[in-house]
Amino acid sequence: MSGNVRLLDETLAAAKSEGRAALIAYLPAGFPTVDGGIEAVKAALDGGADIVEVGLPHSDPVLDGPVIQTADDIALRGGVRIADVMRTVREAHAATGKPVLVMTYWNPIDRYGVERFTAELAEAGGAGCILPDLPVQESALWREHAEKHGLATVFVVAPSSRDERLAEITAAGSGFVYAASLMGVTGTRESVGAQAEDLVRRTRATTSLPVCVGIGVSTPAQAAEVARFADGVIVGSAFVKRMLDAPDDAAGVEAVRALAGDLAGGVRRRA
């Protein structure tokens, strides 16, 4: 069975044709429980997100700040497994028809087996993977299997990436390019800053792929600011924080739905 990279491409193109950026939400699988996480992902999509990234919880999440680390810890203590991540992808995509990616560090895939992981993700209806710590020069095996199974390979670029390095990364990727808006870990920020706009400009000079900005976006105003220059706006920690702050799981799901609606308004407004 082929994955949904085409659906991802079509979704990003449709947002562009509407004169707006796509809203991409991130939530970890298994948080606060496997069932609760599935409901949260579906709520983000129903509330207004165009695309969702389902995080595969990891014990050493080097890119993630304290909010997502807390959620990952809860998921891991709850016994979340890769099978639960695949179930989350399957049920969220089946319920909404929207593209669902997995964001994961390389080690769990390496241990699980690249062929097995890509085949199962495609079978679940997944659109691809975001791989923040897989070096492009070591990605040939992954890309071979991802392409075979119709999955996007999304790499992360940072403000520190030199232009020649950007060209190398974007040439190997598909789906979109994840532009980290600033150096450091994920989390909410007071301002996304000019670094992000410059990074998008430099990245676009190397590729025709959409460039989507994440890290630091948490409010509709910030989403509107980033939507002015990016093809997609990625929000993670703000969703997770709503879940962590909620008095119970049901309230957390509704808080995610409401935030998705607010942010969807933001990407349509453009600062």
Side-chain angles (χ1 to χ4, degrees), residues 93-125:
H93 173 65
T96 65
K98 292 184 177 181
V100 182
L101 300 101
V102 169
M103 185 165 188
T104 178
Y105 296 98
W106 178 245
N107 183 254
I109 295 178
D110 194 35
R111 289 168 54 192
Y112 197 73
V114 175
E115 169 60 24
R116 181 184 177 195
F117 190 95
T118 51
E120 290 183 7
L121 182 55
E123 189 277 329

Side-chain angles (χ1 to χ4, degrees), residues 242-267:
R242 292 286 181 101
M243 297 281 289
L244 287 169
D245 290 347
D248 55 54
D249 292 357
V253 168
E254 289 312 308
V256 164
R257 191 188 315 275
L259 178 59
D262 290 343
L263 292 167
V267 299

Side-chain angles (χ1 to χ4, degrees), residues 193-210:
Q195 274 189 320
E197 187 167 3
D198 180 64
L199 177 59
V200 169
R201 178 188 58 77
R202 292 194 298 118
T203 303
R204 280 201 177 127
T206 72
T207 184
S208 60
L209 288 172

Side-chain angles (χ1 to χ4, degrees), residues 187-254:
T188 60
R189 301 289 196 280
E190 291 300 315
S191 173
V192 178
Q195 274 189 320
E197 187 167 3
D198 180 64
L199 177 59
V200 169
R201 178 188 58 77
R202 292 194 298 118
T203 303
R204 280 201 177 127
T206 72
T207 184
S208 60
L209 288 172
V211 183
C212 303
V213 171
I215 303 184
V217 181
S218 61
T219 68
Q222 289 173 333
E225 176 193 351
V226 173
R228 184 174 51 79
F229 58 81
D231 299 296
V233 179
I234 303 167
V235 180
S237 294
F239 282 112
V240 175
K241 191 170 188 308
R242 292 286 181 101
M243 297 281 289
L244 287 169
D245 290 347
D248 55 54
D249 292 357
V253 168
E254 289 312 308

Side-chain angles (χ1 to χ4, degrees), residues 46 49 89 104 123 155 184-185 224 229:
D46 288 339
V89 172
T104 178
E123 189 277 329
F155 290 113
V185 298
F229 58 81

